[in-house]
Amino acid sequence: MNNHLTRVAVIVLAIVFGVGLGLWWPKNSDMQDIPVAGERKILYYKALMDPSFRSDTPGKSPMGMDLVPVYADEANGDDPGVVTIDPNIVNNLGVRSAVVERGVLSRRIETVGYIGYDEDTLHQISTRVEGWVEKLAIKATGDPVKKGQVLFELYSPALVNAGEEYLAALNSQNAALHQASRERLAALGIAANEIKRLEKERTVRRRVRVYAQSDGVVAHLGVREGAFITPASAVMSIADLNSVWVLVEVFERQSSWVQPGQRAEVELDYRPGDPLPATVDYVYPEIDPKTRTLKVRLRLENATGALRPNMFARVMIAGNETLPVLHVPQEALIRGGSVNRVVLDLGDGQFRSQAVEVGMESGERIEIRNGLTVGDRVVTSGQFLIDSESNIESALSRMEPSQ
């Protein structure tokens, strides 16, 4: 009887021990690594700004940012360039994207330039004889002048001798000699009114006056009072400011877009938001070998004199439209040494770098000749970070040995 009770007690204890072991074992064994259905398994943690930094536990990166988990379902062996980022992280980074569009682009040229003198109105003041500037009426560059105003008085022995010869010819009553002496004075640069004064007063002045031929301002003053000058000396130059030039530079790749007669707009700092209408006046024939740009000239009327030489100007030249082409915002393009690329937004937090062939630029848009299709979405903000991670992940995948 006692033996029977002992066996029953042993069996009961074995059953209780087995049940207890069964309840304890799944919670304290390696089976806890098996994910529950519907949960995502975390492979490791990585730094968002430094994808090469990885950790088995959550924490901070060397840069002080929170580590981001990488899940098992993000491992994509078929397309190693795809990067998956948690939607919350995407939102925190402010990642924006835009749709690839097809349409016409205007060959719009936006550039800068500066106001310059209208060189068609520039005239150089010089003398045909050597002498000394004894009285200079113009003291500084930029001084205004009026037509007929005395610019300076010149003492020249050659002019004094020519004047005396002319008076002698007048007294000789020799018509041929008179005519020859008069022509010699004109050839030496003596004004007609000064010759008439000689005929009337019959006296030779020691100093000869030089007069302005038109209204304007002194664009260049090359002498000072008392200076000795020769026919090769650039005494001064005078420019009319009723019209001015706007000299702009166009990139070499846009040089074929600009032609004389095209419409343009010029915006100046003193009148922001109020551009002046202009027209392309001339396209220079050669490219600057240093800046690799083409110089283009516009002409503006300046009756009020508000436009002053060397003013900075922002210029827009309107060109013709292209045929319909694919285009994206310029900010989406990542320029590389040999390959240009964009970052495709694949949806659900997945991104991939995509090589593209680019064409013309027009304002804030750029043509895509190859690599994208209409409706694709490209990242326009945060693409450099995503592109860096995509390239690193691709390189690491290629380095892994094949199974």
Side-chain angles (χ1 to χ4, degrees):
M1 184 65 179
N2 290 334
N3 291 337
H4 178 71
L5 291 174
T6 300
R7 291 194 199 94
V8 172
V10 170
I11 293 172
V12 171
L13 288 174
I15 293 173
V16 172
F17 178 76
V19 172
L21 182 62
L23 293 175
W24 173 84
W25 181 263
K27 296 181 181 179
N28 297 276
S29 66
D30 293 339
M31 292 180 67
Q32 62 180 343
D33 293 334
I34 301 176
V36 179
E39 292 185 358
R40 303 173 68 192
K41 180 181 179 181
I42 297 177
L43 296 180
Y44 55 87
Y45 295 84
K46 64 180 179 181
L48 194 58
M49 298 296 292
D50 184 10
S52 62
F53 180 83
R54 300 187 179 188
S55 174
D56 294 332
T57 59
K60 299 284 187 179
S61 70
M63 299 181 65
M65 298 180 64
D66 292 332
L67 297 179
V68 178
V70 176
Y71 297 96
D73 57 3
E74 292 176 354
N76 192 337
D78 296 332
D79 192 354
V82 173
V83 174
T84 302
I85 302 177
D86 186 274
N88 292 327
I89 301 298
V90 172
N91 184 61
N92 292 336
L93 290 176
V95 175
R96 295 181 289 106
S97 60
V99 178
V100 179
E101 301 176 5
R102 176 180 291 276
V104 297
L105 290 179
S106 172
R107 292 186 173 92
R108 174 190 177 103
I109 301 173
E110 294 182 354
T111 183
V112 296
Y114 60 91
I115 304 294
Y117 290 108
D118 184 344
E119 296 181 10
D120 290 342
T121 67
L122 274 173
H123 65 272
Q124 183 74 35
I125 303 298
S126 57
T127 63
R128 299 178 184 179
V129 294
E130 61 183 28
W132 288 262
V133 178
E134 292 196 345
K135 186 176 182 181
L136 185 63
I138 302 299
K139 300 298 184 180
T141 299
D143 284 355
V145 297
K146 296 292 184 180
K147 182 177 181 180
Q149 176 183 339
V150 176
L151 299 176
F152 61 92
E153 294 183 4
L154 176 71
Y155 167 66
S156 171
L159 292 180
V160 173
N161 292 336
E164 292 176 347
E165 289 176 2
Y166 182 62
L167 292 181
L170 288 176
N171 295 329
S172 68
Q173 302 298 319
N174 186 327
L177 182 60
H178 174 213
Q179 182 64 26
S181 298
R182 184 184 180 89
E183 290 177 355
R184 182 166 182 263
L185 285 175
L188 291 176
I190 301 299
N193 60 348
E194 179 64 18
I195 296 176
K196 290 181 180 180
R197 188 201 62 79
L198 273 173
E199 295 173 350
K200 181 179 180 180
E201 298 181 1
R202 301 298 177 100
T203 59
V204 177
R205 289 178 177 173
R206 183 174 180 274
R207 296 184 299 202
V208 176
R209 294 177 176 177
V210 178
Y211 300 91
Q213 302 300 312
S214 64
D215 296 343
V217 297
V218 177
H220 170 73
L221 180 61
V223 299
R224 290 297 173 187
E225 199 167 276
F228 176 78
I229 60 174
T230 67
S233 301
V235 179
M236 67 180 68
S237 57
I238 297 175
D240 186 357
L241 285 179
N242 285 327
S243 66
V244 294
W245 284 354
V246 183
L247 300 174
V248 303
E249 294 183 345
V250 174
F251 289 119
E252 184 175 1
R253 64 178 179 271
Q254 299 173 325
S255 59
S256 62
W257 298 3
V258 59
Q259 300 293 333
Q262 286 180 318
R263 181 179 60 84
E265 291 181 350
V266 179
E267 185 175 350
L268 302 160
D269 286 341
Y270 85 93
R271 48 186 300 168
D274 185 18
L276 297 171
T279 303
V280 176
D281 183 59
Y282 183 69
V283 179
Y284 287 77
E286 62 181 20
I287 298 290
D288 188 302
K290 295 182 179 179
T291 62
R292 308 308 304 171
T293 56
L294 176 69
K295 185 180 288 186
V296 177
R297 186 177 78 209
L298 314 178
R299 189 189 299 270
L300 288 176
E301 296 302 319
N302 187 34
T304 63
L307 304 179
R308 303 176 184 275
N310 297 318
M311 272 186 171
F312 177 79
R314 288 175 291 276
V315 179
M316 186 283 294
I317 301 175
N320 299 324
E321 292 184 343
T322 65
L323 296 174
V325 295
L326 288 180
H327 55 86
V328 298
Q330 282 210 42
E331 59 183 344
L333 183 66
I334 302 174
R335 297 186 182 273
S338 57
V339 177
N340 297 316
R341 56 192 182 274
V342 297
V343 174
L344 284 174
D345 184 351
L346 305 177
D348 298 327
Q350 293 188 323
F351 304 91
R352 185 184 73 240
S353 292
Q354 175 65 43
V356 294
E357 179 183 348
V358 301
M360 64 168 285
E361 299 177 12
S362 177
E364 297 180 353
R365 310 290 294 186
I366 186 167
E367 176 189 359
I368 301 296
R369 294 181 176 176
N370 190 20
L372 297 175
T373 59
V374 176
D376 286 345
R377 297 193 67 87
V378 293
V379 178
T380 59
S381 175
Q383 67 271 31
F384 292 96
L385 174 61
I386 300 172
D387 175 72
S388 174
E389 179 162 336
S390 175
N391 289 332
I392 292 174
E393 293 289 347
S394 297
L396 292 175
S397 176
R398 289 192 296 268
M399 293 172 62
E400 292 178 356
S402 57
Q403 301 297 329

